[in-house]
Amino acid sequence: MHMEEPCFDFLRTKQTLGYHVYPTCRNTSGILGFSVTVGTQATKYNSEVVDKKIEEFLSSFEEKIENLTEEAFNTQVTALIKLKECEDTHLGEEVDRNWNEVVTQQYLFDRLAHEIEALKSFSKSDLVNWFKAHRGPGSKMLSVHVVGFGKYELEEDGSPSGEDSNSSCEVMQLTYLPSSPLLVDSTIPITDIRAFTSTLNLLPYHKIVK
């Protein structure tokens, strides 16, 4: 929540990388994390440049939260608490929230109440220390580059011209691109996703139940 506005301002407004720019909290099978996503035009920037700009933003964001005043921090925490205290606007929202507890087998139906209590004791130093711990020398980051290619002119109805109507059903194959000289010093390239994941430890499914 605190990262959203400066992320958009830095990567979209100032760097003009693309309109789709957003940070996201992630919960992958109980493993928590966060990501920054940028969609850009291949005719304007390559993905390596975007990667560098995201890194620049994260570095500047660390400085930003260190200089954050206690008053500004408390104002945002209070706003988040009030947001979580709001009643569901419709039945579907309540169903989705509770059904998510069922499908993830966590069954913490009063999760919002727990989160509100946690926020009341949350401090600025907690935020800064957490961010530094995930940005320090021992931290790891996965940078995923999806690069499209090819150009299709659209007909008036929005469909690609000269394309067979069944072509959309074809299974696309990934083409692994060579490592970029811009990133070679700071990254370990993954040229085969299945081979890479086979070397990783298999973590148990985590459930957040408190």
Side-chain angles (χ1 to χ4, degrees):
M1 181 180 184
H2 186 68
M3 185 184 283
E4 190 170 21
E5 189 279 329
C7 179
F8 190 88
D9 179 63
F10 185 94
L11 297 172
R12 169 65 178 96
T13 306
K14 294 177 180 176
Q15 301 295 331
T16 64
L17 295 181
Y19 190 77
H20 295 286
V21 175
Y22 54 90
T24 310
C25 292
R26 307 181 68 88
N27 184 342
T28 307
S29 299
I31 306 299
L32 302 180
F34 78 98
S35 64
V36 175
T37 301
V38 175
T40 191
Q41 289 179 265
T43 53
K44 291 183 64 177
Y45 301 100
N46 61 38
S47 63
E48 292 84 1
V49 170
V50 175
D51 186 278
K52 290 290 187 182
K53 293 300 181 181
I54 292 176
E55 188 64 24
E56 285 181 26
F57 162 69
L58 292 174
S59 297
S60 67
F61 184 74
E62 181 175 341
E63 182 178 352
K64 179 180 176 63
I65 59 175
E66 285 181 328
N67 297 327
L68 185 68
T69 65
E70 290 291 342
E71 181 181 3
F73 174 80
N74 291 330
T75 297
Q76 191 148 41
V77 170
T78 300
L80 184 55
I81 289 175
K82 288 183 177 180
L83 185 65
K84 292 181 179 293
E85 287 176 336
C86 290
E87 294 184 359
D88 297 311
T89 56
H90 52 82
L91 184 61
E93 188 175 332
E94 182 179 1
V95 169
D96 289 343
R97 179 166 48 79
N98 289 322
W99 186 245
N100 185 64
E101 297 295 331
V102 175
V103 297
T104 59
Q105 300 180 5
Q106 296 177 86
Y107 311 117
L108 195 62
F109 297 108
D110 58 346
R111 182 179 300 275
L112 289 176
H114 288 273
E115 291 177 348
I116 290 170
E117 286 303 310
L119 283 168
K120 289 178 179 178
S121 61
F122 191 61
S123 67
K124 174 193 165 182
S125 60
D126 291 329
L127 175 64
V128 174
N129 292 337
W130 178 88
F131 191 80
K132 285 187 173 182
H134 290 79
R135 291 280 300 158
S139 62
K140 293 183 179 181
M141 177 180 66
L142 176 65
S143 179
V144 180
H145 299 226
V146 180
V147 181
F149 67 95
K151 185 177 180 180
Y152 299 100
E153 294 293 335
L154 298 181
E155 300 285 5
E156 291 184 1
D157 62 356
S159 61
S161 61
E163 287 293 298
D164 183 74
S165 59
N166 295 324
S167 62
S168 59
C169 299
E170 295 178 4
V171 178
M172 299 299 178
Q173 298 295 322
L174 289 178
T175 300
Y176 292 91
L177 302 177
S179 300
S180 166
L182 294 175
L183 304 176
V184 68
D185 295 332
S186 58
T187 61
I188 300 174
I190 300 172
T191 56
D192 188 317
I193 295 175
R194 289 186 179 275
F196 171 73
T197 54
S198 67
T199 66
L200 302 178
N201 294 324
L202 184 62
L203 297 175
Y205 190 100
H206 289 260
K207 299 177 183 178
I208 304 172
V209 295
K210 291 184 181 180

